[in-house]
Amino acid sequence: MPSNGFSLGIQPIGEIDNFFLKVITGSFLGELSIKTFILPPLKSPEYAFNKRKIQYDAGLIINRMEKMKFPEYTKIIGIIDADLFIPVFSYVLGEARMKGRCAIISLFRLENNPERMAKVALHEFGHLMNLKHCQEKGCVMKFSNNVEQLDSNFSFFCEYCIDQLNYLLKK
Ligand SMILES: [Zn+2]
Ligand SMILES: [Zn+2]
């Protein structure tokens, strides 16, 4: 299995229920055998709040996270309770740049459903590892921008994606 020195930081932004953080770290350990650490929370990102949309700009939060020093962690996933948007979508469940270091996911539309949280987190992590959207039925890397689509995916990667991930994690 992977994770030669690979470690993933889970970064709460604002107040996030500890149970949800544990669900997310558990899904990485269970699905990918990746060591995951919960970091001390950051305060609510008022710099990214858009008054007109009453939402937070996911790109601005990722930019800020990319500038922070997280020396111990290979990748960081931010978790926020507030609604997120990016310019081309009225809202997003999560956002990551291909091969980036930091991603963010929002619990806002997930209705406290732990399985949905795990799916969004694994999906954005896939992008951080350079995985593209996958057309394989049920694969967690399938694009979804609402909970109905999310619910039709599994909370794991298809054979093709998991092979690619394990390869990338070993590099
Ligand atoms: Zn995606
Ligand atoms: Zn796949």
Side-chain angles (χ1 to χ4, degrees):
M1 287 314 273
S3 97
N4 278 342
F6 189 98
S7 67
L8 175 65
I10 298 295
Q11 174 65 75
I13 302 174
E15 244 180 81
I16 305 290
D17 191 315
N18 207 39
F19 170 71
F20 297 148
L21 296 172
K22 293 268 197 266
V23 164
I24 291 163
T25 57
S27 69
F28 281 99
L29 193 62
E31 180 61 10
L32 298 168
S33 309
I34 292 176
K35 265 194 261 170
T36 306
F37 301 88
I38 298 172
L39 309 182
L42 295 176
K43 50 179 207 265
S44 180
E46 292 319 315
Y47 60 87
F49 186 67
N50 184 308
K51 284 200 192 94
R52 194 168 48 81
K53 292 174 177 282
I54 321 180
Q55 287 172 308
Y56 290 79
D57 185 324
L60 290 182
I61 300 173
I62 291 176
N63 289 349
R64 183 70 68 101
M65 287 171 70
E66 295 275 2
K67 285 195 194 113
M68 291 176 60
K69 305 257 180 286
F70 298 103
E72 306 94 284
Y73 305 103
T74 323
K75 305 281 185 192
I76 315 281
I77 297 184
I79 317 279
I80 193 166
D81 216 353
D83 205 20
L84 296 175
F85 75 96
I86 58 172
V88 290
F89 286 111
S90 57
Y91 71 88
V92 288
L93 303 178
E95 172 70 1
R97 293 171 188 146
M98 299 292 286
K99 247 182 151 173
R101 186 164 186 227
C102 302
I104 183 161
I105 73 165
S106 163
L107 307 185
F108 187 80
R109 293 174 188 263
L110 305 182
E111 298 167 333
N112 291 336
N113 178 314
E115 201 183 344
R116 290 174 181 161
M117 295 174 193
K119 287 175 185 177
V120 179
L122 289 168
H123 181 97
E124 299 309 337
F125 177 76
H127 286 320
L128 292 183
M129 295 303 295
N130 212 22
L131 290 193
K132 298 193 186 88
H133 286 148
C134 177
Q135 298 309 321
E136 204 60 41
K137 197 173 186 307
C139 178
V140 78
M141 286 313 292
K142 203 165 178 162
F143 174 77
S144 55
N145 200 39
N146 59 53
V147 289
E148 291 74 29
Q149 287 170 333
L150 196 62
D151 288 345
S152 67
N153 292 344
F154 305 125
S155 50
F156 45 84
F157 297 92
C158 73
E159 238 171 277
Y160 171 76
C161 288
I162 197 80
D163 276 358
Q164 216 181 338
L165 257 185
N166 282 328
Y167 170 75
L168 292 165
L169 283 166
K170 264 180 236 153
K171 278 212 287 197

